[in-house]
């Protein structure tokens, strides 16, 4: 920690000076000595013996400056790295001390009782978590120290490589290196390439070599020079082969090591492909196209390159937007262009037909899952665009033949979707439409034009005139969360008033950004909501979101204005009428499903983040603040356990032979209205409260009937 690192810069300067001196001597040698062998004045036996030796000497004088400058570059790079990393070690120690620790010379953190008050010291002695806290700080310091050691090993490797004789049989014993590399990371990239090539050839690395392989990736986690050198050397085919080897060898005690290597290679891949303008990028992409379509198994059951490659990608993160887009485009192009189509991804499905554990069955679906963690990428990939030219969404929702599996029986062969079909796509779809990673807390409203287009077109493409029961199971949860996120739109669409009444498409009401909205025909929305409702939990979350939105519309309405008051109540009644129409349709289709549906709805957990506002209210054109005291006063004053009532009604429906209508929604409206009245100073038993409760019944009844007509 106290070493004078400036000596590295001093040494680098000396090596630069040495390079200049070598060049000066070379000029003298070439003009005074070597020239004798080239000016035609010398001939005979001595000439023929001396000339080759003169050429060797000339080559050594040429190589010497190259080696000297490479060493100088390595030393300067080392100085820069060590200064930065030593600073991080000091910072880690300072952070630990600031947190009340003392740090030993060995880097061990322990609570510093000498600097603590008597009360704090006594509390620390009785804190069962103190040991974990101390160990956490020790690991933090260890990581900083290890980074210094990793860099030191890299410098050592580069210096050793720089002074190696590149051609032991050229006549110069321990000659200078005319191929010396002055970039530490490029040297390490070459070393990683050599170790990877050995694994691909079937070699088993020693413990020391495995440790070095992991160090190389750990030390160069986000270094482009290292990553591109390594990947360019091994090539796409080598990477795919390497991942197959990693998966095959990741067993028992070795699993942790090989998973670490997978993460390292995947991180290098993300780092190397960040800049599409790099010459490396297009060359590597072209190689990946060829390797991705190639069969890497060679047996009776093919395994294609993209399957291994995308599985490798799942071990990394933060890929470049263009790279993810290009890989997706190339996989789709492959699916559309050859005889296999999407069937190539299912060729080794079935008992005993998966020779490589953990490999992605459907690489496009797996890639979409990766995109879902970078919502801006998912949105860009699935957005049809203002001109409608991007057909990815339509292809995935409607046109693609998703991989299937065949189950033979004594009579025939039954073909069905793979059980995990569309899991990645569903996640990407949710991210693309909401702008958030799947499962994130909801910020109702606030979408970009591209996000709104994805939502709009998802509904219109999926709506084929049926009630939505054809929607794939693995999309329902994601679609439900998408509809929750668009509750301001769905409420206004179902209500059929305001600016949403006559619109079908996407628009924004400001200058762009997160102020876009979408509208679809209410019959389309109803059918898709019905399809999603086969997942009772998803329906429950939509219902909960509607409760918040309805309470928000009430809280923003002038209670003293009879016309506004009536419009708000009728709007909520109309929206909930559609929800009950959907519940009733489930009971009408199959009564026992209504019970399962209601039980799952009870598990719904709806979380919205505070401090945000939703889309403009159709009532006043003003933003609705969802998380406000007014909203909670209405919800709590009008408390109603709709989930229990939904289950009770579902059980009643299952016991009846005739069609059964759910009335949960209207009861919810009545309780919200009662809570609203109470929040405005009118008790439950006042004349106005009694008058308002049930005042939206007619709108509710007509909406429920309308929904059932759409679902007939």
């Amino acid at each position: 920690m106290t070493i004078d690192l400036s000596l590295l810069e001093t040494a680098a300067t000396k090596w630069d000076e040495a390079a200049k001196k070598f060049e000066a001597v070379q000029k003298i040698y070439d003009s005074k000595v070597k020239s004798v062998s080239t000016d035609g004045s010398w001939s005979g036996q001595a000439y023929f013996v001396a000339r080759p030796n003169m050429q060797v000497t000339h080559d050594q004088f040429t190589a010497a400056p190259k080696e000297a400058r490479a060493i100088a570059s390595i030393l300067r790079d080392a100085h820069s790295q060590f200064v930065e990393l030593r600073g991080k070690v000091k910072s880690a120690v300072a952070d630990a001390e600031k947190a009340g620790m003392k740090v030993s010379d060995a880097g061990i953190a322990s609570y510093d009782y000498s600097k603590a008050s008597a009360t704090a010291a006594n509390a620390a002695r009785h804190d069962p978590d103190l040991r974990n806290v101390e160990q956490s700080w020790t690991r933090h310091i260890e990581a900083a120290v290890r980074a210094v050691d990793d860099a030191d090993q890299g410098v050592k490797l580069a210096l050793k490589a720089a002074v190696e004789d590149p051609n032991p049989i050229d006549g110069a014993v321990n000659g200078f290196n005319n191929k010396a590399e002055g970039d530490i990371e490029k040297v390490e990239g070459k070393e990683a390439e050599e170790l990877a090539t050995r694994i691909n050839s079937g070699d088993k690395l020693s413990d020391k070599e495995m440790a070095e392989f992991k160090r190389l990736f750990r030390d160069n986690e986000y270094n482009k020079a290292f990553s591109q050198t390594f990947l360019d050397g091994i090539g796409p085919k080598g990477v795919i082969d390497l991942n197959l080897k990693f998966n095959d060898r990741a067993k028992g005690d070795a699993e942790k090591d090989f998973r670490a290597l997978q993460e390292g290679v995947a991180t290098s891949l993300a780092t190397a492909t960040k800049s599409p303008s790099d010459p490396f990028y297009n060359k590597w992409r072209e190689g990946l196209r060829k390797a991705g379509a190639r069969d890497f198994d060679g047996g009776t059951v093919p395994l294609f390159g993209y399957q291994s490659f995308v599985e490798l990608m799942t071990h990394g993160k933060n890929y470049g937007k263009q790279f993810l887009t290009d890989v997706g485009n190339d996989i789709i192009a492959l699916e559309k262009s050859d005889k296999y189509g999407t069937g190539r991804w299912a060729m080794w499905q079935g008992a005993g037909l998966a020779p490589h554990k953990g490999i992605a069955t459907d690489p496009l679906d797996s890639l979409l899952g990766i995109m879902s963690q970078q919502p801006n990428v998912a949105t860009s990939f699935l957005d049809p665009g203002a001109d409608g030219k991007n057909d990815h969404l339509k292809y995935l929702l409607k046109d693609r033949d998703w991989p299937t599996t065949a189950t033979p029986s004594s009579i025939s062969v039954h073909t069905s979707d793979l059980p995990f079909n569309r899991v990645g796509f569903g996640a990407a779809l949710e991210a693309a439409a909401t702008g958030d990673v799947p499962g994130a807390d909801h910020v109702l409203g606030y979408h970009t034009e591209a996000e709104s287009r994805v939502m709009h077109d998802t509904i219109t493409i999926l709506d084929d005139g049926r009630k939505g029961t054809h929607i794939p199971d693995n999309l329902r949860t994601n679609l439900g969360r998408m509809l929750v996120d668009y509750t301001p739109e769905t409420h206004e669409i179902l209500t059929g008033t305001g600016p949403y009444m006559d619109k079908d498409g996407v628009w924004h009401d400001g200058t762009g950004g997160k102020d876009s909205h979408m509208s679809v025909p209410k019959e389309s929305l109803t059918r898709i909501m019905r399809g999603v409702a086969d997942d009772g939990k998803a329906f429950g979350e939509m219902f909960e979101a509607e409760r918040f939105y309805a309470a928000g519309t009430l809280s923003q309405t002038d209670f003293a204005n009879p016309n506004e008051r009536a419009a708000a109540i009728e709007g909520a009644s109309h929206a909930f009428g559609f929800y009950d129409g959907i519940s009733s349709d489930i009971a009408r289709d199959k009564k026992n499903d209504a019970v399962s549906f209601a039980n799952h709805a009870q598990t719904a957990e709806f979380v919205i983040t505070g401090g945000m506002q939703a889309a403009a209210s159709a009532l006043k054109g003003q933003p609705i603040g969802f998380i406000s005291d007014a909203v909670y006063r209405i919800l709590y004053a009008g408390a109603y356990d709709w989930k229990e009532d939904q289950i009770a009604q579902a059980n009643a429906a299952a016991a009846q032979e005739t069609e059964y209508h759910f009335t949960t929604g209207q009861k919810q409206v009545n309780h919200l209205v009662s809570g609203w009245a109470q929040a405005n100073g009118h008790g439950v038993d006042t004349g106005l409260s009694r008058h308002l409760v049930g005042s939206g019944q007619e709108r509710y009844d007509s909406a429920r009937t309308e929904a059932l007509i759409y679902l007939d």
Side-chain angles (χ1 to χ4, degrees):
M1 295 296 289
T2 59
I3 191 172
D4 184 3
L5 293 175
S6 66
L7 294 176
L8 291 169
E9 283 283 2
T10 302
T13 301
K14 295 294 185 182
W15 278 102
D16 278 334
E17 292 173 357
K20 292 178 181 179
K21 291 178 179 179
F22 278 125
E23 288 171 337
V25 173
Q26 181 186 33
K27 288 181 180 179
I28 296 172
Y29 178 80
D30 286 350
S31 63
K32 302 295 185 180
V33 180
K34 187 184 175 188
S35 61
V36 175
S37 68
T38 59
D39 63 6
S41 62
W42 190 15
S43 62
Q45 187 66 30
Y47 164 74
F48 287 109
V49 172
R51 184 171 181 180
N53 292 330
M54 290 180 175
Q55 184 62 44
V56 169
T57 303
H58 167 83
D59 291 343
Q60 287 299 294
F61 278 130
T62 302
K66 172 77 174 177
E67 181 178 308
R69 287 197 171 93
I71 294 173
S73 176
I74 292 168
L75 293 174
R76 287 196 174 91
D77 193 357
H79 175 263
S80 177
Q81 289 187 38
F82 290 151
V83 167
E84 178 183 358
L85 294 172
R86 183 171 65 177
K88 290 182 178 180
V89 173
K90 291 181 177 179
S91 178
V93 171
D95 289 343
E97 291 174 342
K98 187 176 180 180
M101 300 288 133
K102 61 181 178 180
V103 181
S104 70
D105 291 342
I108 307 299
S110 58
Y111 189 76
D112 191 348
Y113 290 96
S114 66
K115 294 182 179 179
S117 65
T119 302
N122 184 58
R125 289 188 182 93
H126 294 86
D127 184 355
D129 197 43
L130 178 61
R131 182 59 179 161
N132 290 333
V133 173
E134 292 173 331
Q135 289 177 342
S136 176
W137 281 112
T138 297
R139 287 192 298 270
H140 179 58
I141 296 167
E142 283 177 350
V145 173
R146 185 176 64 179
V148 176
D149 183 63
D150 285 346
D152 187 42
Q153 295 301 315
V155 173
K156 179 180 178 181
L157 178 69
L159 287 172
K160 182 180 177 182
V163 299
E164 284 182 347
D165 187 345
N167 187 1
I169 61 172
D170 64 357
V173 179
N174 295 323
F176 291 109
N177 190 350
N178 64 348
K179 297 179 180 179
E181 175 59 65
D183 189 320
I184 297 173
E185 289 73 25
K186 287 184 178 180
V187 175
E188 291 183 302
K190 282 290 184 183
E191 179 76 1
E193 177 198 341
E194 291 176 11
L195 292 171
T197 301
R198 285 184 53 197
I199 289 178
N200 277 345
S201 67
D203 287 357
K204 181 179 179 181
L205 301 185
S206 67
D207 291 345
K208 182 178 180 181
E209 289 169 331
M210 280 293 290
E212 172 65 2
F213 205 9
K214 289 190 295 180
R215 183 202 69 78
L216 289 168
F217 288 111
R218 188 173 62 239
D219 187 30
N220 296 281
E221 194 172 19
Y222 302 112
N223 188 276
K224 184 166 76 171
F226 167 85
S227 299
Q228 290 189 350
T229 299
F230 166 67
L231 291 171
D232 188 47
I234 193 173
K237 178 184 178 299
V239 167
I240 292 169
D241 270 328
L242 188 63
N243 189 56
L244 292 174
K245 293 291 192 305
F246 285 164
N247 275 328
D248 289 345
R249 298 186 185 186
K251 301 172 185 176
D253 294 339
E255 181 171 5
K256 185 177 179 181
D257 287 340
F258 283 105
R259 295 304 180 208
L261 289 173
Q262 278 181 306
E263 183 177 340
V265 175
T267 301
S268 287
L269 179 64
T271 302
T273 54
K274 275 289 197 299
S275 303
S277 59
D278 289 346
F280 162 86
Y281 187 91
N282 287 330
K283 174 187 174 185
W284 216 82
R285 181 187 175 193
E286 181 59 32
L288 179 59
R289 283 197 195 102
K290 296 175 182 177
R294 176 178 174 174
D295 176 12
F296 276 72
D297 187 83
T300 57
V301 183
L303 184 145
F304 296 97
Y306 276 126
Q307 293 176 298
S308 173
F309 182 75
V310 176
E311 193 276 330
L312 171 67
M313 291 180 66
T314 64
H315 296 276
K317 57 185 178 181
N318 297 324
Y319 294 97
K321 177 180 178 181
Q322 191 62 51
F323 181 66
L324 288 173
T325 301
D326 286 341
V327 174
N329 286 338
D330 292 341
I331 293 176
I332 290 175
L334 177 63
E335 291 179 352
K336 291 180 176 181
S337 68
D338 70 359
K339 63 180 180 179
Y340 293 117
T342 57
R344 67 168 61 233
W345 313 132
M347 288 183 178
W348 47 281
Q349 286 303 301
L353 295 182
H356 296 281
K357 180 183 177 182
I359 297 300
T361 300
D362 183 348
L364 181 57
D365 196 44
S366 295
L367 183 72
L368 289 164
I370 296 169
M371 288 185 186
S372 73
Q373 300 305 303
Q374 298 174 229
N376 66 314
V377 179
T379 301
S380 174
F381 191 77
L382 296 177
D383 173 23
D387 56 8
K389 290 183 177 180
N390 180 8
D391 71 345
H392 289 162
L393 187 62
K394 178 175 176 291
Y395 175 70
L396 292 162
L397 283 172
K398 186 176 181 180
D399 298 337
R400 188 178 193 242
D401 294 324
W402 286 79
T404 58
T405 184
T407 305
S409 69
S410 58
I411 301 174
S412 63
V413 175
H414 174 67
T415 301
S416 60
D417 273 3
L418 296 180
F420 297 106
N421 270 1
R422 300 179 181 84
V423 171
F425 174 42
L429 194 60
E430 180 182 342
T434 65
D436 294 311
V437 295
D441 293 350
H442 298 283
V443 181
L444 305 185
Y446 291 122
H447 299 107
T448 66
E449 189 171 334
E451 292 163 4
S452 296
R453 263 195 304 269
V454 172
M455 187 72 214
H456 173 274
D457 283 25
T458 295
I459 294 173
T460 56
I461 292 171
L462 282 175
D463 178 33
D464 62 357
R466 292 179 285 172
K467 62 177 64 178
T469 51
H470 64 290
I471 293 174
D473 290 344
N474 288 338
L475 289 185
R476 287 195 173 97
T477 297
N478 303 107
L479 287 170
R481 286 200 286 256
M482 290 160 62
L483 289 167
V484 165
D485 223 55
Y486 282 78
T487 297
E489 279 87 347
T490 62
H491 176 95
E492 305 300 340
I493 292 168
L494 296 176
T495 300
T497 58
Y500 291 80
M501 183 169 55
D502 300 319
K503 290 184 182 288
D504 180 8
V506 173
W507 75 97
H508 57 81
D509 55 15
T511 58
K514 288 275 188 178
D515 62 1
S516 292
H517 310 285
M518 72 89 203
S519 185
V520 294
K522 66 170 69 175
E523 56 265 35
S524 293
L525 177 60
T526 304
R527 287 191 283 261
I528 298 307
M529 289 175 65
R530 168 62 182 87
V532 171
D534 275 339
D535 180 334
K537 185 174 185 291
F539 177 88
E541 290 178 352
M542 291 191 292
F543 195 98
E544 279 284 279
E546 176 58 38
R547 287 180 66 235
F548 271 85
Y549 191 84
T553 60
L554 296 177
S555 72
Q556 293 290 307
T557 299
D558 183 0
F559 185 85
N561 186 317
N563 292 331
E564 289 190 14
R565 192 170 61 211
I569 294 172
E570 290 175 0
S573 299
H574 204 88
F576 278 111
F578 274 91
Y579 277 88
D580 276 354
I582 290 169
S583 298
S584 298
D585 186 73
I586 290 175
R588 182 175 66 176
D589 280 352
K590 191 174 180 181
K591 290 180 171 58
N592 288 334
D593 276 359
V595 177
S596 174
F597 152 81
N599 284 328
H600 282 98
Q602 191 179 38
T603 66
E605 295 181 0
F606 170 67
V607 182
I608 54 178
T609 11
M612 83 292 183
Q613 293 182 323
S617 166
L619 301 176
K620 299 177 66 176
Q622 298 297 321
I624 297 175
F626 274 82
I627 303 302
S628 66
D629 291 340
V631 170
Y632 280 117
R633 279 197 298 270
I634 293 172
L635 289 171
Y636 290 146
Y640 165 57
D641 194 346
W642 70 269
K643 294 178 182 179
E644 288 297 326
D645 203 12
Q646 191 89 5
I647 292 173
Q649 293 185 69
N651 283 318
Q656 292 188 166
E657 293 184 3
T658 58
E659 185 175 299
Y660 188 84
H661 287 302
F662 280 63
T663 58
T664 310
Q666 183 55 46
K667 292 178 182 178
Q668 179 66 73
V669 174
N670 290 341
H671 281 81
L672 288 176
V673 170
S674 176
W676 186 33
Q678 292 179 58
N680 282 274
H682 298 271
V684 176
D685 294 325
T686 63
L688 181 58
S689 292
R690 289 195 297 271
H691 168 71
L692 293 179
V693 171
S695 62
Q697 184 71 48
E698 183 178 344
R699 285 291 299 277
Y700 166 83
D701 289 339
S702 67
R704 186 179 63 185
T705 300
E706 187 178 0
L708 288 167
I709 291 172
Y710 294 148
L711 300 175
D712 193 2

